[in-house]
Amino acid sequence: MIAMRYGTIPVARKTGGLNDSVFDVDDDTIPLQFRNGYTFLNPDEQGVNSGLERAISRYRNNPESWHQLVQKVMSIDWSWEFSASQYEDLYAKSVARARAAASRA
């Protein structure tokens, strides 16, 4: 995430925490605003190469799109303040649902 702040486009295996923070630019099941890198599934040479080849292809063949992606990843807010705000919102919604359910019972 620190590297993204400086404009590095991630190429990462879809596993663990990376699966929660790197979303493939070519995955149409993910909303466009969240797509921020290249992912691969298999932990082998072919998997890594597939991600790298797609990234290099975009860099070489579509420099404007590459630049937009760089700008996008540099603007993502990975701060604890942002994360904490999301948790506070989730907590508030959970409390509201629990109170609503208790008042119906």
Side-chain angles (χ1 to χ4, degrees), residues 9-11 22-26 35-39 54 69 73:
I9 304 303
V11 177
V22 179
F23 304 102
D24 200 281
V25 298
D26 296 324
R35 299 182 209 173
N36 62 357
Y38 296 88
T39 61
R54 290 184 302 123
L69 183 58
V73 301

Side-chain angles (χ1 to χ4, degrees), residues 1-9 70-71 73-76 78:
M1 292 182 276
I2 293 170
M4 283 192 272
R5 193 79 176 130
Y6 292 95
T8 301
I9 304 303
V70 168
Q71 295 301 311
V73 301
M74 290 175 69
S75 67
I76 296 172
W78 296 106

